[in-house]
Amino acid sequence: MEITTIEPIPLAHTLSAGLGDARGFGRDRATTLLRLETDTGLVGWGEAFVPGSIAEATIEELFAEDVVGMDPFDVESLAERSYTDPYHFGEAVFVQSVVSAIDVACWDLIGKEVGRPVHRLLGGRSVETLVPYASTMYFTETERPLAEPIEAAVDEGFTAAKIKIGTGVEEDEERVRTARDILGPDARLMVDMNGNYRPEQAVRSGRAIAEYDVEWIEEPVPPENLSGYEEVKRHVETALAAGEAHYGRFEFKRLIDGAVDIVQPNLARCGGLSEARTIAKLATTENVGVRPHIWNSAVGLAAAVQFAASVPAYPHSRTAPDPMMVEFDRSENPMRTEILETPFDPSGGELAVPQEPGLGIEVDEDAVAELRADR
Ligand SMILES: [Mg+2]
């Protein structure tokens, strides 16, 4: 089997009103799908979580020539190639995002060739469902009742949620208290500060919200501030999580070596399924948890679901105090909701792991065409 075509597909969507996190609002979402075709007529899908023009230029300059003619089973050679040819480009986010797309599309092709879903190819047990957590309570440009998005998530059956905080101790506490009141005492609740604090601010907030049984604090300080993570970790009992802004095993190793309790690789940025598996194995050696970050199109979501299903929820025990969860972003995103023949459905507090070969999804190419950034 040989890859015959590599086609990046730039997608974009503009929200009607600004939506955001502690760092500010945004209206534009952009990502790039990747479509590989083989001489045997198979089509494989991947995603690079970067705007189309960047992905297109990176693919054209660095990868197109080698990927055309490549056997998808050679997938693990991509990571090695990204660090050696071109020399020193490997740690660049745009390079790893494109490697992610090619890698995931290759695994999709391998699965379709051998007739197995990716989570089984990666060595995971057969997993039918995962618990989705609602990513919600975003900061909004227009006023709306604070409780509304959490109430909507609970009404749809979510039993876990992650909310945005990070704009001051009092407001953080109000948000967490509101979410906990609506979720009830048994639901799992996480918070995301989006790196908006200096360490001592994150510590004050982390201590103020501790009584609400918060499972993890995500990005308490900027992703570049590793010493900040270590400082927060020394003073706050709640677990720390990070990884959405990191890529490649070397960056993740620095997080795993004492900075955080949970790493969150994004499958369209970290280097793909192959690299995520390496990251998960590094995490296991230090007893660090792995929970993928998902803010992608449905293709990146599918890759993350397959990956999550392949990772032991709790590798050192037969009981799982904190079972595997997958992030389910609740914000408006047609790139997540419109491009599959059968969209992912998290209602009822369960997310089915596709059992069909490869990523287990069928992409609606007409719907993809409607979302093209260059249409
Ligand atoms: Mg986050």
Side-chain angles (χ1 to χ4, degrees), residues 192 194 218 244:
D192 191 352
N194 284 98
E218 189 166 309
E244 65 180 82

Side-chain angles (χ1 to χ4, degrees), residues 35 38 50 70 112 171 177 240-241 252 262 279 284 297 310 324 346 362 367:
R35 186 182 186 280
T38 68
V50 291
M70 174 185 160
K112 285 168 176 165
E171 196 177 353
R177 189 191 322 114
L240 303 185
F252 274 91
I262 293 157
I279 291 162
T284 301
S297 81
S310 80
M324 176 60 75
E362 207 180 319

Side-chain angles (χ1 to χ4, degrees), residues 18-78:
L19 185 76
D21 52 48
R23 293 222 206 180
F25 301 119
R27 285 187 182 213
D28 297 315
R29 298 181 88 131
T31 194
T32 308
L33 296 189
L34 187 75
R35 186 182 186 280
L36 297 182
E37 210 171 314
T38 68
D39 59 350
T40 55
L42 292 178
V43 173
W45 291 94
E47 177 180 350
F49 192 26
V50 291
S53 53
I54 292 168
E56 286 170 328
T58 308
I59 287 168
E60 186 56 37
E61 281 290 326
L62 304 180
F63 291 98
E65 204 178 312
D66 281 2
V67 171
V68 173
M70 174 185 160
D71 180 342
F73 282 88
D74 293 343
V75 60
E76 300 247 10
S77 67
L78 285 165

Side-chain angles (χ1 to χ4, degrees), residues 162 164 192-194 218-219 244 264 293 327:
K162 182 173 78 189
K164 298 293 185 190
D192 191 352
M193 297 176 177
N194 284 98
E218 189 166 309
E219 293 195 325
E244 65 180 82
Q264 302 172 293
H293 171 260
E327 178 163 21

Side-chain angles (χ1 to χ4, degrees), residues 134 136 150-151 153-154 158-163 176-190:
T136 190
I150 285 281
E151 284 167 349
V154 169
F158 280 95
T159 56
K162 182 173 78 189
I163 65 167
V176 174
R177 189 191 322 114
T178 303
R180 176 54 80 196
D181 281 351
I182 296 162
L183 285 164
D186 297 332
R188 298 164 77 181
L189 172 62
M190 290 71 68

